[in-house]
Amino acid sequence: MPDEVMVDVDGRTLKISNLAKVLYPESGTTKGEVLHYYAQVAPILLPHMADRAVTRIRWPDGTASNQFFEKNLPNGAPRWLRSVTVTSTGSRGGGDRITYPLVDDTAGLTYLANLASLELHVHQWKFAPNQRPENPDRMVIDLDPGAPAGLGECCQVALLVRDKLEERGLSCAPVTSGSKGLHLYAALPGDLNAEEVRDQAQEVAQELTEERSDLVVWKMTKTLRPGKVFLDWSQNTAAKTTITPYSLRGRGRPYVAAPRTWDEIEAGAEDGEEIEHLLLDEVLARVDSEGDIFGDQLYG
């Protein structure tokens, strides 16, 4: 396999390199297979990243080696790659200017994947056409299990969160994170700002902690988490990002932040062995047979 090839993607010519390099050592998954995954899943992934700033975690030498987190547009990025420049509002931002890439086509996605940007993280809000941040159009609640709790316990809690959100007129879509736990997303009409959405998510977490203190914890204190599921409401803070559905994860094997059906979550709640994190080939097979499970549940 040649070290470099020129490919045409969406009418853009890109130089793709090191296709045979192994990025996932436990499975032997190569950079070429990563690029193939993102090209195949692009039609479904891209709508969920549209107009959102994309931060990346890159593993240039594979997931057994060093990683680094990247917000700014990479040096040498092509001029056609959309971007937006804003003042950082994070606790560590200090008013710095950040130029984020906006990825709305397969060419942009391929460009980032060629840089070994395995993980793609986005905010729960979008940029308006005038490049100003809009109110969030999604809420996310991150279900993080503390050992010995695992994915089965996350499924149990996901059903409880679903009920709480339904009481508030919200339906939600589950995603196994590809790392440890679950993410639950709810579509929003955009009438609340990020702080108000965060507070609503925190309220859900507090209520469930009061009702099921044996299983749920809302405080971030790590000593409270063993054997329970932490409901991370803080992911809705305007400056924070979450792994986008259908993104790969930087683990030993190519797990994916994979949308799931509620039937699967219910089965996992009854028996934790009935649900596992999914690999890239499993996700592609599901997309081929079932389409965009995430979008169907979030907006259906």
Side-chain angles (χ1 to χ4, degrees):
M1 185 177 296
D3 287 341
E4 293 184 349
V5 295
M6 304 300 291
V7 297
D8 182 271
V9 183
D10 294 336
R12 311 285 190 185
T13 300
L14 290 88
K15 181 186 293 185
I16 304 301
S17 61
N18 300 316
L19 295 176
K21 177 184 280 189
V22 173
L23 295 183
Y24 289 92
E26 291 183 15
S27 60
T29 305
T30 65
K31 186 178 178 183
E33 291 171 300
V34 166
L35 286 161
H36 174 75
Y37 169 77
Y38 274 123
Q40 294 297 111
V41 82
I44 282 180
L45 184 157
L46 288 170
H48 303 304
M49 290 205 307
D51 299 316
R52 303 181 197 272
V54 183
T55 59
R56 293 83 61 206
I57 304 181
R58 293 172 55 180
W59 281 265
D61 296 311
T63 59
S65 189
N66 293 330
Q67 67 188 60
F68 66 94
F69 190 76
E70 185 174 56
K71 291 185 178 182
N72 275 292
L73 196 69
N75 292 329
R79 291 185 177 182
W80 49 259
L81 185 63
R82 286 180 64 207
S83 63
V84 60
T85 301
V86 297
T87 300
S88 173
T89 58
S91 59
R92 301 177 185 175
D96 294 339
R97 302 286 284 174
I98 299 175
T99 299
Y100 290 103
L102 300 176
V103 180
D104 53 13
D105 58 21
T106 306
L109 187 61
T110 300
Y111 169 74
L112 293 181
N114 185 54
L115 298 177
S117 305
L118 300 180
E119 293 196 4
L120 308 171
H121 295 245
V122 297
H123 304 96
Q124 304 314 314
W125 49 267
K126 297 180 178 181
F127 283 101
N130 63 2
Q131 297 195 339
R132 291 184 179 275
E134 298 180 322
N135 281 341
D137 65 338
R138 302 190 308 212
M139 174 193 291
V140 63
I141 300 181
D142 180 3
L143 280 59
D144 185 6
L151 204 50
E153 285 77 10
C154 286
C155 289
Q156 295 175 34
V157 175
L159 299 178
L160 301 176
V161 174
R162 181 181 66 175
D163 292 344
K164 286 292 182 184
L165 292 177
E166 285 179 351
E167 292 173 6
R168 291 161 170 81
L170 301 174
S171 60
C172 58
V175 176
T176 45
S177 71
S179 179
K180 291 193 300 180
L182 272 167
H183 296 156
L184 296 179
Y185 289 86
L188 300 175
D191 56 348
L192 301 177
N193 63 35
E195 289 71 27
E196 292 169 326
V197 174
R198 178 202 61 201
D199 291 348
Q200 189 176 49
Q202 183 181 17
E203 182 181 79
V204 168
Q206 289 173 327
E207 287 182 11
L208 283 176
T209 300
E210 291 177 3
E211 297 170 11
R212 291 297 308 271
S213 60
D214 60 315
L215 187 59
V216 179
V217 60
W218 74 272
K219 291 184 177 180
M220 296 186 181
T221 308
K222 291 189 176 181
T223 56
L224 299 175
R225 298 188 196 180
K228 300 182 181 182
V229 177
F230 169 52
L231 298 191
D232 189 353
W233 44 270
S234 73
Q235 292 296 309
N236 297 284
T237 302
K240 288 199 173 184
T241 60
T242 305
I243 190 82
T244 190
Y246 299 108
S247 172
L248 289 165
R249 301 306 301 258
R251 315 286 288 183
R253 302 176 71 198
Y255 288 106
V256 174
R260 311 301 289 261
T261 67
W262 280 108
D263 286 344
E264 290 178 294
I265 300 303
E266 290 168 1
E270 293 180 6
D271 181 354
E273 295 184 1
E274 290 297 316
I275 189 165
E276 296 179 347
H277 293 287
L278 299 180
L279 296 164
L280 82 174
D281 56 339
E282 296 172 305
V283 171
L284 287 180
R286 289 162 66 94
V287 166
D288 185 57
S289 63
E290 302 174 43
D292 181 15
I293 294 173
F294 181 70
D296 290 346
Q297 293 186 111
L298 191 66
Y299 302 112

